[in-house]
Structures are given as structure tokens and as C-alpha cells.
Amino acid sequence: RHGGSEQARLATEFMRREVKAAEEALRVQKAAIAEFEQAHRGELPSDREASQRRIERLEDQRSALATSAAEAETRLATASSATDATSPAARLAAAKAQLATERSVNTDTHPNVVSLKRQVAELENEVRTGGGGSSGAGAGRREIATYREQMAAADAEIEQIEQRMARMPQREVELAGLQPRAKVVEESYFQLLAKLN
């Protein structure tokens, strides 16, 4: 009779060790899945719907930016056509033509050529910095540049999301390889736990 209780105690000890080992194995499997999901956030099948919604929002945003940029370009073109003859670009073109004419008859050290070269350099700088015309023209160009940058950022984000979505089938396969192992370990753990109880 004493031997029976000893045997029961040993069996219980053994079962406790088995449950503890199964519990640890289950923890390791669940941690592996959590780590995988963390490492591949945005590439998992469960992320597909959110990714598609994000792309739609970015495409709407990009479309609105393109419209705003086109409107700003129209405003800028309308404003600059009114002052075309006096615009820095028009003055620069005229100065370059005059410089070419002077160079055809004079050397580079001739006072007229030197003066025109300096004038061309100043006008090129003015055109490059967007100044010279009305300050509105410079502001208009900056506004358009801002829209273009925002459109490029939206395009880049769309491309990143599409690349992550392209990896979803592969991640689905990899995750499918991890989940059954976790399920087997979990079932084993609960069976051992039931036996121990």
C-alpha cells in the first residue's frame, strides 16, 4: 500500500515535469510566431485589407495634389504671360542673344562682352532662384514644387506598400509552417494538463 502512494507521487512528479516542459515549448512556439509577426508587420495576410485602404487613401491624396499643382501652374502661367516680356527668363534670353552677337565681333575681354557676361550671370542667378518676376511667381513656383514633393512622397509610400503586399503570399506560407507546430504543442500541453489534474 505504501508502495502505491510512492508510485502515484512519482507519476505526479513526472507529469508535472512533462506539463512544465510542454508549457515552455508552447511559450517558445508562441514567442516565435509573435516575433515573426512583429518582424513582418505590413506583409502578413491579415494586413492586406488595411494596406489596400491605405493605398486608396494615398491615391486620392495624390490625385488631389495633382489637381492643385495643375491649378497652381495655370495661375502661374496666366500671371507670367502678363509679364512675359519683362520676366527674368525673357531678359536672360535677350541678353544671351546680345552676348552672342557681341562675341561674334569682339573678344572676350571687350568691355561690351564683359558687361553682357556679368548681366547674363546675374539674370541666370535670378531665374535659378525664382526671383526677379513678381514675388508671386516665386511663391507660385515654390507652391508647385511643394505639391510635386508631396506627390513623390505619396508615390514612394504606395510603392513600399505594394512591395510589402507582394511578399504576403510568401509570409502566409512561412506563417502556415509555424502555426501547426504551435497547435500540436498546445494540444499536447492541454492533454498533459488534463492527465495531471
Side-chain angles (χ1 to χ4, degrees), residues 70-160:
E71 289 168 355
E73 283 168 350
T74 302
R75 283 194 306 273
L76 184 62
T78 305
S80 70
S81 67
T83 58
D84 253 359
T86 59
S87 74
R91 293 199 320 268
L92 174 62
K96 279 183 173 178
Q98 199 177 347
L99 176 62
T101 305
E102 283 293 329
R103 273 185 165 154
S104 68
V105 290
N106 295 313
T107 65
D108 273 2
T109 54
H110 191 278
N112 290 355
V113 174
V114 170
S115 170
L116 281 166
K117 277 166 69 176
R118 189 173 53 246
Q119 200 178 332
V120 165
E122 286 168 3
L123 285 166
E124 280 175 339
N125 186 44
E126 202 175 310
V127 168
R128 193 171 41 253
T129 58
S134 66
S135 62
R141 278 191 284 278
R142 283 191 299 277
E143 180 187 4
I144 293 163
T146 301
Y147 289 137
R148 297 243 174 270
E149 284 167 18
Q150 291 171 344
M151 285 162 66
D155 287 341
E157 191 177 341
I158 288 169
E159 189 178 337
Q160 285 177 340

Side-chain angles (χ1 to χ4, degrees), residues 28-101:
V28 167
Q29 281 298 321
K30 286 190 170 183
I33 289 172
E35 201 175 298
F36 179 85
E37 288 175 340
Q38 179 68 32
H40 301 293
R41 183 172 286 159
E43 299 178 3
L44 302 171
S46 58
D47 298 321
R48 184 173 281 118
E49 199 178 315
S51 295
Q52 285 171 331
R53 280 198 309 268
R54 180 67 183 148
I55 287 176
E56 285 166 16
R57 281 197 302 273
L58 285 165
E59 285 173 343
D60 289 346
Q61 180 184 339
R62 194 199 181 290
S63 177
L65 287 165
T67 301
S68 296
E71 289 168 355
E73 283 168 350
T74 302
R75 283 194 306 273
L76 184 62
T78 305
S80 70
S81 67
T83 58
D84 253 359
T86 59
S87 74
R91 293 199 320 268
L92 174 62
K96 279 183 173 178
Q98 199 177 347
L99 176 62
T101 305

Side-chain angles (χ1 to χ4, degrees), residues 158-189:
I158 288 169
E159 189 178 337
Q160 285 177 340
I161 294 169
E162 285 174 343
Q163 286 172 359
R164 286 198 298 265
M165 287 179 77
R167 292 190 287 270
M168 283 180 183
Q170 178 60 34
R171 299 303 178 223
E172 190 168 13
V173 169
E174 292 168 2
L175 192 58
L178 289 171
Q179 287 169 331
R181 280 197 296 263
K183 189 131 185 70
V184 168
V185 171
E186 189 173 40
E187 283 168 5
S188 166
Y189 167 70

